[in-house]
Every structure is written in structure tokens, then in C-alpha cells.
Amino acid sequence: MITTVPVTLGTAGAGRARGYDVLVGEGASAELSRLVATGVPAARQVAVVTDAVVAAMPWFEGIRPGLPFEVHVVEPGERSKTMANVEALCRAFARGGLARSDAVVAVGGGVVSDLAGFAAATYHRGVPYCTVATTLLCQVDAAIGGKTGVNLPEGKNLVGAFWQPFGVLCDTELLETLPARERASGLGEVAKYTFLGEPDLPGLALDDQVARCVARKASLVAEDEREAGRRVLLNYGHTLAHALEASALGRAARGEGGGGDGLSHGEGSGGDGLSHGEAVAVGLVYAALLARRLGRIGDERVELHREVVERLGLSARLPAGLSGSGRRELLSYMARDKKAAHDLAFVLDGPSGVELVHGVSPEDALGALEELACT
Ligand code: GLY
């Protein structure tokens, strides 16, 4: 069964309604040609962007846009999210004669969706794109909401654009070929939604989990497309997760081990062998410990965070062997988080639910890290 989840956005010029549908379910990718025909009726050709792992999957041949197309293959993994690849893709689009009325189709996980979406956002000052999301992480998060972009050596997702797709296909059948670690990476995001108004998620079938996560994200994006307010809640658990990723990548750049993609392909890494979603799982329990330290929640709620993470088969442990200086380094990365204006800011649970909390003291942030390290 295919579930259609609408993403309703504000109005465009002349009051035209904006928005698109996300189709979730087994076989949703078979809808691609219909989506292209209805979403970009003037298109004469499309550029399909994917990675080498997805291109080698037996089902890739079956994903057809219904128009003449050229396939552009990038290397799998977070390292492909570069300005150099944006330039390479745009030059290839130009050589292929891709017009402004044509379209880009991203087929892959979050890396492909972010990269191809950003190339689409900038080529000809913006061409339409859609995503066939092939990983759990992409289906429940990256493909929805129009955040596109690439990394710089100085940090993740530092260059990007809000550029909404004309549709997203979340084919849950494709998840059957997903390596277990990649599935775990997506489950970290599923765990996050459990605390954003979807408490029943861990007990649901995978299709229903995906549809509920998409609907929850769609409602936050509809409310706050450009993250001026409540969309920031989607970063629950991400402050420590991003710090773990940045610190591991920094160590790798200095030749001190860590970093690299913890996974063979797809969703990038939290470093130290942690996938992004695994790092988010750790970050969720850390956020709960910090919230308790600030008197916002009690023991039961902290336990619930641990239970949800464990029920989804994830771990709440910091990477082994993290020293005191390693914890202080994580703190300095957390201080650079994009939510922090000039202070330490976290999305934290509390009596009124999850919300953005500014002005957290370094002592509390470090204290909660030490607590996490001791468990
Ligand atoms: N991944 C968080 C967001 O799309 O806002």
C-alpha cells in the first residue's frame, strides 16, 4: 500500500499554492515516470544523479523517469558532498543540454539527495528536482523539506540552499537491500521523532514508521520552511551527534585515526565507527541527561530515552576511550553549533515538550557528557 503524505508550503507569486507529495510504501519508485510527467510537464529530458553503490543495485535499472535521461554517478559517502562535485555535475548537465525546464532526479541516500538537490538549486539558477530516497535516513529526514547543500573542509553543510523538490518517493522495498548499519543510521532519526510527538513509533511496522516520520517532518516544515522557529526541533539529539562527527573528521584530517565513513556507503559518518544515526542516538540520551541536570525532566524521562534507543537496536554509549580532553573538544564543537548564536544552545526535553534552550552553561554541558561517559 502506498501512503501519500502532502508537504504543504506557503504561497508563491500570485498566490499560487506550493507543496508536493511524498509517496511512502513498497514499490513507490515505480511512480517516478508519473511524478516526472505531472511535476515537470515541460521537461524533455532529465539528469539522474546517483552513487556507485546504488547504480550497481539490481533494482536500479527499474527506476525509470519516463523521459530520455543521462545517469551521473558519484562516489558513495559523505566525501562526495563537495563544491567540486557540484561543479562537475553542473558541467555535465550543461554538456548534456539540460534546460531550465528539464529536471534532476536524485536516486540515493542523504548524500545524493543533498548534493543533487543543491546542484539543481544552482544550475540555471534553479531547475526542478525530485528524489527517489533509497535509505531509511533519506526517507525519514534528508529527502523531505528542501534542505540541500554540501560540506566545506571547515564544516558540514556550510554551503546550501532551501530548494524544495517537486516530489519524493520513499520506496520501502528498496530498504530490504540496505546494510544493517545503514538501517541503524535511519533508526537514530526514527528515535528522534519518538520525542517529537510520535511516541508509538518503535512498535510500528517499518512502512508505518516511515510514513509517520514523514508526516511529522512535513508538519514542521509546513510551519517553518526556513528554520526560523520550530523546524529547529528536528535537530533534537544532533548537537552532540554533529560534534562527534566533526571531532572524528578533524582527527582523521590530522592523521590521528577516527573519521572517515563509518559505513560502506550512503549516509556519512559520525566518525569513530558511528554512523550519523548512531551518533544521533547517543546525542538523544545525552540531551536527556542534560535536561535532567537543568531540572527540566526527571529520571523516568531519561530512562525512556534509553529505552527507545535500545528498543530500536541502537546504543547510547560514547565512543570507547574518549578522554577528558576529548570531552572538552566535543564541548568546543557544540559551542560552534549553528543553533548557538553566541552561547551554548540545545534542543531539550522539558515540561512543555522538546524546545530550544539557550544559555546552557559549559559546566552543565560537560557534566552531562561526563555522566554519559560513566554509563
Ligand atoms: N534535517 C533537519 C531538517 O531538515 O530541518
Side-chain angles (χ1 to χ4, degrees):
M1 192 187 83
I2 307 279
T3 305
T4 301
V5 183
V7 181
T8 311
L9 302 167
T11 49
R16 260 184 313 116
R18 294 161 61 235
Y20 51 94
D21 285 341
V22 181
L23 271 50
V24 181
E26 288 193 10
S29 58
E31 295 296 313
L32 180 60
S33 54
R34 194 188 55 78
L35 174 63
V36 169
T38 54
V40 279
R44 304 265 281 277
Q45 63 167 321
V46 304
V48 173
V49 179
T50 191
D51 72 31
V53 171
V54 172
M57 288 289 169
W59 41 256
F60 180 71
E61 291 299 311
I63 297 179
R64 289 293 171 258
L67 286 176
F69 63 95
E70 205 171 320
V71 180
H72 305 273
V73 181
V74 298
E75 286 306 308
E78 188 73 19
R79 287 190 191 87
S80 278
K81 276 178 55 173
T82 60
M83 291 296 281
N85 271 341
V86 174
E87 180 178 353
L89 283 173
C90 290
R91 290 183 65 182
F93 297 164
R95 284 195 300 275
L98 198 77
R100 203 173 188 184
S101 52
D102 294 327
V104 171
V105 177
V107 183
V111 168
V112 168
S113 173
D114 285 6
L115 171 67
F118 186 53
T122 49
Y123 181 68
H124 282 319
R125 300 195 178 87
V127 295
Y129 89 104
C130 70
T131 297
V132 180
T134 64
T135 67
L136 183 57
L137 179 64
C138 192
Q139 295 189 359
V140 300
D141 187 38
I144 323 296
K147 275 191 184 174
T148 69
V150 296
N151 304 326
L152 294 179
E154 286 74 15
K156 279 191 66 161
N157 298 329
L158 282 186
V159 179
F162 286 98
W163 188 244
Q164 298 291 346
F166 59 86
V168 178
L169 303 176
C170 299
D171 188 340
T172 49
E173 203 174 336
L174 306 183
L175 303 180
E176 284 165 18
T177 50
L178 203 60
R181 294 285 312 285
E182 286 240 15
R183 185 180 284 245
S185 188
L187 287 172
E189 297 289 347
V190 173
K192 168 190 85 178
Y193 288 108
T194 305
F195 300 99
L196 297 178
E198 298 292 342
D200 304 329
L201 282 177
L204 298 182
L206 189 63
D207 278 29
D208 296 329
Q209 285 182 352
V210 174
R212 293 272 282 270
C213 292
V214 169
R216 181 58 57 175
K217 179 154 185 182
S219 79
L220 284 164
V221 170
E223 201 180 317
D224 176 25
E225 184 180 349
R226 289 182 164 248
E227 199 172 299
R230 277 174 55 79
R231 184 169 177 166
V232 76
L233 302 187
L234 290 165
N235 291 310
Y236 191 38
H238 283 59
T239 313
L240 178 60
H242 286 156
L244 286 165
E245 292 179 82
S247 135
L249 288 170
R251 278 199 308 289
R254 298 193 299 269
E256 295 168 19
D261 285 330
L263 303 175
S264 59
H265 66 96
E267 306 301 12
S269 168
D272 295 299
L274 292 181
S275 70
H276 173 72
E278 287 168 336
V280 170
V282 178
L284 287 171
V285 175
Y286 168 72
L289 291 170
L290 181 56
R292 181 173 67 183
R293 194 167 264 271
L294 299 178
R296 298 176 53 84
I297 59 171
D299 297 346
E300 261 177 45
R301 203 67 193 158
V302 175
E303 245 352 271
L304 184 64
H305 281 70
R306 281 193 198 281
E307 269 169 39
V308 165
V309 161
E310 280 163 18
R311 212 166 146 206
L312 290 167
L314 299 162
S315 163
R317 286 184 183 281
L318 281 169
L322 191 72
S323 62
S325 67
R327 293 197 285 277
R328 282 189 295 281
E329 185 191 44
L330 288 178
L331 180 66
S332 69
Y333 277 113
M334 290 195 287
R336 277 184 240 159
D337 186 87
K338 64 180 183 298
K339 294 183 297 304
H342 298 289
D343 60 358
L344 268 169
F346 291 85
V347 177
L348 294 176
D349 200 3
S352 328
V354 173
E355 61 192 355
L356 181 63
V357 178
H358 278 284
V360 175
S361 75
E363 292 74 26
D364 282 325
L366 197 56
L369 259 186
E370 275 157 11
E371 235 181 292
L372 185 61
C374 291
T375 53

